[in-house]
Amino acid sequence: MIGYGFMGAAHSQGWRVAPRFFDLPAQPEMAVLVGRNAQAAQAAADKWGWNEAASDWREVITRDDIDIIDIVTPGDSHAEIAIAALDAGKHVMCEKPLANTVEEALAMRDAAERAAAKGVRSMVGFTYRRVPATTFARQLVADGRLGDIRQVRAAYRQDWLMDADGPMTWRLQKDRAGSGSLGDIGAHAVDLAEYITGLNVEKVSGLLETIVTERPLLGEGIGLSGTASTERGTVDVDDVAVFSGRFAAPEGGFSAVGSFEATRFATGRKNSLTIEVSGSLGALAFDLERLNELEFYDATLPSTEQGFRTILVTESEHPYLAPWWPAGHMLGYEHGFSHQVVDFVTAVRDGVSPSPSFDDGLHVQHVLDAVTRSSDDSGRWTSVG
């Protein structure tokens, strides 16, 4: 695993726990954790259960005892590491968004295609696809329970930046993160909407806004622990992204409309990823802050029986649930990373392409780019890709 921040902890949990609950076709060994700061990387490796730590990812990807590279670094290094690892014959899992630019994502997709021809697999980490309730929502749509999809409303709202004197981090620097709330959490809203509905966004009209343009720097460097200094740095990414979208119509079907929001200034919202899908036969709604529940509306029932009902998605028949706990015993945020490991390891061992692919990640990058171009053009409707 290359990187050891917040996502490093989450991915480590997934690698450590998945083999202990699921019957995997191969047993992953947590061989080495890589970070530029050797001391910090070693501390993270010791804490999370990695066999060793290293500071040179280029050396690690040449090792014969390494089969998989898991990338959890900031977006500015995704392309370089992923392409080198794939060309070295390593299977690659890469955190979202796939890259910082469309050009980087294209190069990564091309590298993935070259590698796939040699049996080397790759996947982008849109983990919320693997929350049992969202996977079950996709099944309901695919089974026709919602009929023709007409409208989608997706929002990812957090408030961790609402303090205007909160310090700078790498997530607020365009050269490191690529974009702000749009790429950080908006990418999840786009991917989840497309995953559940099976439809792709084809055009957008967007608005990006930076609410706080300067923030104090940390005494020991941006993104590191330390005390805030009097010096301030420029925030050059968006704090809020709001956009409308039009989905590509299925053959002979309706071109559904969507509304999307991504913000880190939604006061009181800690990690609220919500999606509501409305169709001709029914509707569903999901909220990550209540991730064991799915709201379902069946419009085919008599009017006297209609209304949203809550499905507790904890039965052994629900996706991913059988190896876990008895019904009603809840799962949490970290379980999606175990499910991600299960799907990735299974696909690699079975010799099939995992999902979401780098091509899926490239498509989301095209959507993010179209929103940016639309915002720069006063919200003009802009085609994706």
Side-chain angles (χ1 to χ4, degrees):
M1 184 175 72
I2 303 177
Y4 57 89
F6 167 55
M7 275 297 105
H11 280 234
S12 296
Q13 173 78 355
W15 288 112
R16 186 172 59 250
V17 173
R20 289 163 172 80
F21 281 83
F22 291 82
D23 294 325
L24 299 183
Q27 292 299 303
E29 177 187 351
M30 296 171 64
V32 57
L33 180 149
V34 185
R36 288 177 294 183
N37 183 318
Q39 184 176 1
Q42 185 64 62
D46 293 341
K47 182 176 182 179
W48 298 334
W50 295 85
N51 293 346
E52 62 178 288
S55 58
D56 185 354
W57 65 263
R58 293 174 179 83
E59 184 275 329
V60 169
I61 68 171
T62 67
R63 286 172 44 166
D64 292 337
D65 63 327
I66 301 298
D67 303 301
I68 290 173
I69 299 294
D70 185 2
I71 303 171
V72 296
T73 59
D76 61 331
S77 59
H78 284 188
E80 181 184 13
I81 297 172
I83 292 170
L86 288 166
D87 287 345
K90 310 301 182 185
H91 308 292
V92 172
M93 180 191 298
C94 182
E95 255 303 318
K96 53 53 50 193
L98 186 61
N100 279 3
T101 67
V102 167
E103 290 73 22
E104 289 176 348
L106 276 166
M108 294 173 72
R109 190 278 311 273
D110 291 346
E113 290 185 347
R114 292 194 304 270
K118 302 176 183 178
V120 177
R121 308 300 170 186
S122 55
M123 186 176 80
V124 59
F126 284 111
T127 318
Y128 295 135
R129 290 183 173 211
R130 293 174 167 89
V131 173
T134 62
T135 310
F136 183 55
R138 175 182 170 89
Q139 290 181 6
L140 290 174
V141 172
D143 290 343
R145 297 293 298 277
L146 270 64
D148 297 328
I149 303 304
R150 294 170 171 172
Q151 188 175 3
V152 179
R153 293 164 291 280
Y156 205 151
R157 294 171 291 175
Q158 300 175 339
D159 71 354
W160 63 275
L161 286 179
M162 60 173 290
D163 181 359
D165 289 323
M168 283 285 290
T169 79
W170 67 266
R171 293 183 186 276
L172 303 177
Q173 298 174 289
K174 186 175 180 64
D175 61 340
R176 300 292 308 283
S179 65
S181 59
L182 177 64
D184 183 20
I185 53 180
H188 274 305
V190 172
D191 180 75
L192 193 59
E194 295 189 334
Y195 171 71
I196 289 175
T197 64
L199 306 173
N200 282 345
V201 177
E202 65 175 358
K203 63 174 65 173
V204 297
S205 170
L207 169 67
L208 303 180
E209 186 67 43
T210 304
I211 295 176
V212 176
T213 58
E214 290 186 346
R215 289 183 177 272
L217 302 178
L218 292 176
E220 298 180 14
I222 296 175
L224 301 178
S225 61
T227 58
S229 69
T230 57
E231 185 180 358
R232 301 181 75 86
T234 300
V235 177
D236 55 0
V237 298
D238 58 283
D239 289 326
V240 177
V242 181
F243 59 99
S244 301
R246 173 77 70 175
F247 292 84
E251 185 174 353
F254 175 73
S255 178
V257 297
S259 60
F260 297 85
E261 177 187 4
T263 175
R264 300 185 291 209
F265 274 76
T267 306
R269 298 297 181 186
K270 303 306 175 184
N271 196 38
S272 177
L273 171 57
T274 59
I275 182 166
E276 186 168 338
V277 182
S278 301
S280 58
L281 299 180
L284 57 82
F286 170 77
D287 185 345
L288 184 63
E289 291 183 343
R290 303 179 68 176
L291 59 76
N292 291 279
E293 300 177 3
L294 184 67
E295 301 291 322
F296 179 62
Y297 183 96
D298 187 348
T300 66
L301 293 174
S303 60
T304 53
E305 300 175 22
Q306 290 179 3
F308 274 96
R309 60 185 176 91
T310 300
I311 300 173
L312 191 61
V313 187
T314 61
E315 297 292 332
S316 61
E317 294 83 4
H318 284 130
Y320 300 109
L321 266 300
W324 293 110
W325 319 116
H329 293 67
M330 308 302 186
L331 299 192
Y333 169 78
E334 74 277 9
H335 289 81
F337 294 93
S338 293
H339 303 157
Q340 180 171 261
V341 167
V342 171
D343 289 345
F344 185 65
V345 170
T346 302
V348 166
R349 192 57 183 262
D350 289 350
V352 299
S353 296
S355 178
S357 66
F358 275 22
D359 198 48
D360 295 325
L362 169 62
H363 165 73
V364 172
Q365 202 76 47
H366 273 301
V367 175
L368 305 182
D369 177 70
V371 173
T372 301
R373 289 186 287 117
S374 173
S375 180
D376 291 342
D377 196 15
S378 302
R380 184 185 300 273
W381 280 98
T382 303
S383 295
V384 172

